Amino acid sequence: MSVETGRLSPPDVRSMFDRIAPVYDLMNRVMTAGLDQHWRGETVKAVVRPGDRVLDGCCGTGDLAVAAVRAGAGDVVGLDFSPRMLERARAKLQVVTWLEGDLLALPFPDADFDSATVGFGVRNVADLPAALAELTRVLRPGGRLGILEITTPTGFLAPFYRLWFDHLVPLLGRLLRGGSAYTYLPASVRRFPGPEELAGLMRTAGFEDVAFRTFAGGIVALHTGVAR
Ligand SMILES: C[S@@+](CC[C@H](N)C(=O)[O-])C[C@H]1O[C@@H](n2cnc3c(N)ncnc32)[C@H](O)[C@@H]1O
């Protein structure tokens, strides 16, 4: 396991996010030219309904959970295993319940949530099918899941994307604290399942009406599904 292969053990993933927490939001805005917040807004719009009890898994610094509150969700729980990322989240909004925990062992009973979101998180977990199974378990039947994740474009943008993501992002990362995270980032995207494959894994985990759409020429995908 190494940053170059895009595979790290869970303790290494946790300490990597602890290290980059101070620059995480800034790097998101810079790397996406500010589009990341729009994608989070679209994720919330796709799955969260007013009054929902919402889980934002791998909440990091909390932007998706905050977007869910602003969209009129009822109870919102943000869960992450990095204490430093959670510290940033807590400073943003106090009405969210911010919890330190593992997406692979969610500390909630079955059918506890109406909707769930995971933004740029599932790529980092050690066992993706197990994470999807946990998300199905804690959603009520009919509950909605939205997964926002970076993906690899195949169209005309592909060469520009490779230049930006595989070369310039790691270079930018080297200038910042915790720079190896920005070598891990493109490597983890390269080994992550493509949109069709992720949709298949969601179906296997027990979601129906699974669909996905992409943003920004196919660099980010939003998958949605409904728990059976
Ligand atoms: C790239 S950040 C995404 C943060 C946020 N969701 C966003 O939209 O920017 C990924 C987050 O997933 C968390 N994470 C990775 N694996 C996890 C796991 N097994 N359980 C809980 N959190 C996890 C990391 O600590 C990190 O904060």
Side-chain angles (χ1 to χ4, degrees), residues 9 16 61 65 82-83 138 149 160-161 193 195 213 216:
S9 68
M16 176 181 75
T61 58
S82 156
V138 300
E149 194 48 89
F160 301 103
Y161 173 86
R213 64 180 164 125

Side-chain angles (χ1 to χ4, degrees), residues 17 24 40 58-60 80-82 85 101-103 119-120 124:
F17 281 104
Y24 179 80
R40 288 190 187 85
C58 298
C59 67
D80 200 284
F81 68 11
S82 156
M85 294 289 271
D102 189 345
L103 193 71
F120 310 113
N124 304 292

Side-chain angles (χ1 to χ4, degrees), residues 129-146:
L132 294 172
E134 265 303 78
L135 288 161
T136 329
R137 182 185 69 74
V138 300
L139 281 169
R140 64 166 170 79
R144 296 162 304 274
L145 171 67

Side-chain angles (χ1 to χ4, degrees), residues 36-210:
D36 59 313
Q37 291 293 56
H38 168 69
W39 301 329
R40 288 190 187 85
E42 290 297 306
T43 304
V44 165
K45 216 190 285 175
V47 298
V48 175
R49 303 288 173 264
D52 270 7
R53 175 164 161 79
V54 182
L55 169 66
D56 180 30
C58 298
C59 67
T61 58
D63 285 341
L64 253 174
V66 169
V69 171
R70 302 223 160 107
D75 270 355
V76 179
V77 177
L79 174 136
D80 200 284
F81 68 11
S82 156
R84 298 283 92 81
M85 294 289 271
L86 280 172
E87 259 169 29
R88 305 258 148 186
R90 276 192 193 103
K92 284 182 187 167
L93 200 61
Q94 306 208 336
V95 293
V96 174
T97 304
W98 303 108
L99 271 186
E100 195 174 322
D102 189 345
L103 193 71
L104 296 175
L106 291 171
F108 309 108
D110 296 356
D112 198 19
F113 292 91
D114 302 300
S115 50
T117 54
V118 185
F120 310 113
V122 289
R123 186 173 26 88
N124 304 292
V125 300
D127 185 341
L128 178 55
L132 294 172
E134 265 303 78
L135 288 161
T136 329
R137 182 185 69 74
V138 300
L139 281 169
R140 64 166 170 79
R144 296 162 304 274
L145 171 67
I147 294 182
L148 183 67
E149 194 48 89
I150 307 170
T151 188
T152 306
T154 48
F156 75 99
L157 271 183
F160 301 103
Y161 173 86
R162 275 198 298 274
L163 174 68
W164 168 238
F165 209 56
D166 292 356
H167 298 285
L168 296 179
V169 165
L171 196 66
L172 196 61
R174 251 173 254 145
L175 306 175
L176 296 167
R177 188 164 6 157
S180 65
Y182 296 96
T183 301
Y184 164 82
L185 173 62
S188 66
V189 174
R190 277 195 295 275
R191 58 119 186 105
F192 190 68
E196 291 292 353
E197 199 184 335
L198 178 55
L201 290 171
M202 287 174 69
R203 288 188 195 100
T204 306
F207 288 94
E208 55 192 13
D209 296 335
V210 174

